[in-house]
Structure formats: C-alpha cells, structure tokens
Amino acid sequence: MMIRYYGHHYFKQYIKGKPIRFGYKMWALCGNNCYCYNFDLYCGKEVVDTPSTVVLSKEPLGTRVVKKMLQPVTNPKSHIVYFDNFFNSYNLLVDLRKSGFRATGTIRSDRIQHCDL
C-alpha cells in the first residue's frame, strides 16, 4: 500500500502509473476481516551485514517481504496465504510449503522455472 506524501524525505517512493504516485510504501499482512496483523515500511534496498563484508540479499524482494511478514505466525497450518504476482514465485511456494503454510496466488510466466502448468 502507498501512503500519500508529497514532502521531502528519503524514504519517499515514486511509482509511475499508480493512482498514488508519491509516498511511503508499506508492506502489510492483513486478515480476511481487513485487520492488519503485521506491517513494515519499505526503506529501499536491504543489505545483509556479515562480519567480513556487506552484500545484497540473494532472495527476490517479494520473497523476503512475505517471509518477514509471516514470521510472527505461530500456527502456519491454520492459515492460507494469498498474494499477487509481484510476490509469488516457485521457490517461495516451495519454502512456504516446507514451513507448513498453504499459499496461492497469481504468478508471472518468467518465475515458474519451466514447470508444467
């Protein structure tokens, strides 16, 4: 979701072609009752700080966001996760299944890794 903001701040994002083009980008984990259970402010590229060097994470942004949002969930077998094609990938679905989550969503054709649909 985007929170409209036209002032000056380095967290502000610009997304061309969206109804709210300028503002803060928020990731949110919401239930089917529209209640927000977890949220996070997007602050740009995340770096993994290891003792020897600083490197960018190898996972795609959508995968990192979904996993981070689902960390507080204590009983994954009692939840079904739905998301759109920005977040979805074959590897994410495999990881969620190993964690016990049921998940579904639209997927982009370049993220299916040659799986037959």
Side-chain angles (χ1 to χ4, degrees), residues 48-55:
V48 178
D49 193 12
T50 59
S52 61
T53 183
V54 175
V55 295

Side-chain angles (χ1 to χ4, degrees), residues 5-20:
Y5 181 73
Y6 291 107
H8 297 285
H9 197 274
Y10 60 95
F11 285 166
K12 184 175 74 171
Q13 300 287 316
Y14 170 73
I15 302 177
K16 181 180 176 182
K18 293 289 186 176
I20 301 175

Side-chain angles (χ1 to χ4, degrees), residues 50-106:
T50 59
S52 61
T53 183
V54 175
V55 295
L56 293 175
S57 177
K58 301 243 187 264
E59 287 184 325
L61 176 63
T63 300
R64 290 193 315 263
V65 168
V66 170
K67 288 181 178 180
K68 187 174 182 178
M69 289 290 111
L70 292 174
Q71 282 178 348
V73 176
T74 56
N75 187 7
K77 292 187 185 338
S78 64
H79 298 283
I80 303 173
V81 183
Y82 298 95
F83 36 78
D84 67 1
N85 62 16
F86 176 79
F87 300 97
N88 204 357
S89 68
Y90 175 76
N91 292 333
L92 175 62
L93 292 173
V94 169
D95 290 344
L96 290 177
R97 187 66 177 155
K98 288 178 184 175
S99 300
F101 286 100
R102 293 178 292 166
T104 188
T106 57

Side-chain angles (χ1 to χ4, degrees), residues 1-3 9-15 23-28 39-47 56 61 64-65 68-69 86:
M1 81 175 76
M2 286 288 283
I3 300 170
H9 197 274
Y10 60 95
F11 285 166
K12 184 175 74 171
Q13 300 287 316
Y14 170 73
I15 302 177
Y24 297 114
K25 187 184 286 189
M26 297 282 296
W27 309 118
F39 68 92
D40 188 30
L41 175 66
Y42 178 65
C43 301
K45 288 185 181 180
E46 292 181 7
V47 292
L56 293 175
L61 176 63
R64 290 193 315 263
V65 168
K68 187 174 182 178
M69 289 290 111
F86 176 79

